[in-house]
Amino acid sequence: MITKCYKIDTNNINQEQMQEAGALIAAGELVAFPTETVYGLGGDALHPEAAKKIYAAKGRPSDNPLIIHIAEVSDLERVAKVVPEQAKKLAEAFWPGPLTMVVWKKESVPYATTGGLDTVAVRMPNHPIALELIRKSGKLIAAPSANTSGRPSPTEGSHVVEDLDGRIAMVLDGGPVGIGIESTIIDLTEETPMVLRPGYITPEMLAEVLGEEVIIDPGIIAADDTTKPKAPGMKYKHYAPKADMIIVDGDKEKVVEQISLLLQEAKAKGQKAAVIATEETKMLYQSDVVLSIGTREEEDSIARHMYKILRDCDKLDVDVIYSESFKTPRIGQAIMNRLLKAAGHQVIHV
Ligand code: TXA
Ligand code: MG
């Protein structure tokens, strides 16, 4: 299959190209598109064959459910059995935006989309191209991140092409995304709302709007396999770079010292090593490959560049990656959740 790629200017969206993209979705084909979090791989959410195509293109296990993307808050009623009061409050506060809500599904939502579950994940993205695509298609759009299963999520159109060229009908390239990590997922099907995946919207922000306690799935905090996460996708070793990755955590001076030591050892073994550092520390390392992920002054910059940096490590064909840890104040939990998985939970505390 030949994959068409259109560069779309977010401030001046080409309506004809969007019309063509929408028609492809309506015809059961797949179109990758930017959202504010990461790029999504879209297909008609209520058409089981489209879901099957998504799993095939990504090489994704079909028990891992898809998020349905909507363009109007009222479309939640089209897929939810009942719309909980909490969902109304959260939609009012955070939609369009990087929040996915899990609710009981309507019968019309195929099990192919929900991975066999009786619940469905729904989100209204905050990106003009995503919203336009949904509207032009006249459908609701099921979309996982537009990467090959197991690779870092795509934050630029070129990442999607790297992974999915020849496997899908179209890529809408709207440039680099704004947030860079996937949406927060909150489960509203139980007594107490529960965060299944940390993201840009924090549990504190959710609790404040809901006026009640919000818990975090114990399965995503556990570093081992003893507690299963509730979101099926969170159990997979995601976002893994090809190289072996180790995170060094602690005070700045000690971290720099430890990573420098590891770099010497790698050199002695003839290994090619990369360091993931920040603007504040990048000049402190003696290595051919020092990648700055962003600045600690602005934690959003760290989230935004994380997946691109992991892809860069793959392209540079390094053997080992030593990364600083980024327990930043607000979204540090979301960042570290991804980074720890990329590192297979290999951490040295200094
Ligand atoms: O930011 C995002 O959410 C991006 C963009 C494209 O919107 N999408 C995304 O989709 O990250 P994906 O498929 O890569 O991740 C979806 C996650 C998986 O961990 C999946 O298991 C979980 O959502 N999920 C989907 N439906 C669920 C459900 N009914 N119950 C629990 N978890 C669910
Ligand atoms: Mg994903």
Side-chain angles (χ1 to χ4, degrees):
M1 169 184 306
I2 291 179
T3 303
K4 251 194 188 181
C5 187
Y6 285 145
K7 285 217 180 333
I8 308 276
D9 178 356
T10 307
N11 298 312
N12 183 18
I13 294 179
N14 183 316
Q15 296 298 321
E16 274 165 36
Q17 290 175 339
M18 292 305 298
Q19 195 68 51
E20 192 182 331
L24 282 170
I25 296 274
E29 297 298 330
L30 306 185
V31 176
F33 60 97
T35 80
E36 78 278 37
T37 57
V38 300
Y39 274 73
L41 174 58
D44 180 351
L46 302 183
H47 188 31
E49 291 307 316
K52 283 185 197 153
K53 279 189 192 171
I54 291 177
Y55 291 118
K58 276 182 66 86
R60 172 174 177 143
S62 59
D63 70 338
N64 190 358
L66 307 173
I67 296 173
I68 297 187
H69 294 65
I70 60 177
E72 317 293 335
V73 173
S74 59
D75 281 342
L76 182 54
E77 291 162 28
R78 289 173 59 189
V79 293
K81 197 169 185 182
V82 278
V83 177
E85 277 311 308
Q86 297 150 320
K88 290 179 192 160
K89 284 189 194 168
L90 293 176
E92 166 90 25
F94 300 115
W95 277 0
L99 178 69
T100 296
M101 300 187 221
V102 174
V103 295
W104 295 105
K105 82 170 188 75
K106 268 210 169 117
E107 249 169 60
S108 51
V109 180
Y111 283 120
T113 299
T114 67
L117 299 175
D118 287 313
T119 57
V120 62
V122 191
R123 152 168 137 82
M124 179 174 170
N126 186 17
H127 195 294
I129 297 175
L131 294 170
E132 195 58 37
L133 178 66
I134 301 167
R135 290 186 184 123
K136 284 277 195 299
S137 71
K139 305 284 183 188
L140 307 179
I141 296 187
S145 49
N147 51 294
T148 303
S149 199
R151 292 217 70 204
S153 292
T155 53
E156 295 178 14
S158 64
H159 299 167
V160 180
V161 174
E162 265 167 37
D163 282 14
L164 299 177
D165 190 26
R167 306 177 72 93
I168 61 177
M170 186 179 276
V171 177
L172 299 173
D173 182 346
V177 301
I179 292 178
I181 50 176
E182 305 86 344
S183 61
T184 306
I185 302 179
I186 187 166
D187 181 1
L188 299 175
T189 63
E190 310 243 5
E191 184 79 15
T192 310
M194 182 159 85
V195 171
L196 305 185
R197 178 172 74 181
Y200 188 81
I201 294 175
T202 63
E204 292 75 27
M205 291 159 78
L206 295 164
E208 189 174 327
V209 169
L210 291 173
E212 66 178 308
E213 187 198 7
V214 171
I215 54 177
I216 301 171
D217 181 1
I220 60 173
I221 301 170
D224 45 42
D225 294 335
T226 50
T227 321
K228 274 229 155 52
K230 190 167 178 200
M234 299 296 283
K235 71 173 181 275
Y236 296 106
K237 189 195 173 194
H238 261 169
Y239 329 119
K242 290 177 198 152
D244 200 29
M245 179 167 165
I246 295 169
I247 297 170
V248 181
D249 177 53
D251 290 340
K252 183 178 144 189
E253 285 74 27
K254 287 197 175 141
V255 167
V256 173
E257 206 175 294
Q258 179 66 44
I259 291 183
S260 300
L261 203 70
L262 291 167
L263 283 171
Q264 283 174 17
E265 286 173 15
K267 200 172 176 187
K269 282 190 244 168
Q271 288 179 320
K272 185 172 176 186
V275 180
I276 302 181
T278 56
E279 286 304 297
E280 289 78 20
T281 55
K282 64 177 182 190
M283 67 299 276
L284 301 174
Y285 298 103
Q286 315 284 321
S287 172
D288 291 342
V289 188
V290 180
L291 304 166
S292 171
I293 196 170
T295 164
R296 287 185 192 270
E297 299 284 300
E298 193 215 330
E299 57 177 324
D300 289 4
S301 69
I302 294 175
R304 195 156 59 231
H305 299 129
M306 180 180 56
Y307 286 133
K308 175 186 160 27
I309 294 274
L310 292 176
R311 276 180 184 262
D312 286 348
C313 288
D314 281 352
K315 282 179 203 148
L316 290 163
D317 222 12
V318 297
D319 303 305
V320 273
I321 305 167
Y322 303 121
S323 178
E324 296 179 3
S325 111
F326 308 102
K327 290 178 180 157
T328 59
R330 212 184 62 81
I331 51 172
Q333 186 181 40
I335 294 171
M336 290 312 292
N337 170 260
R338 275 73 173 179
L339 215 58
L340 282 163
K341 276 194 192 178
H345 289 273
Q346 296 192 84
V347 186
I348 299 176
H349 296 281
V350 288

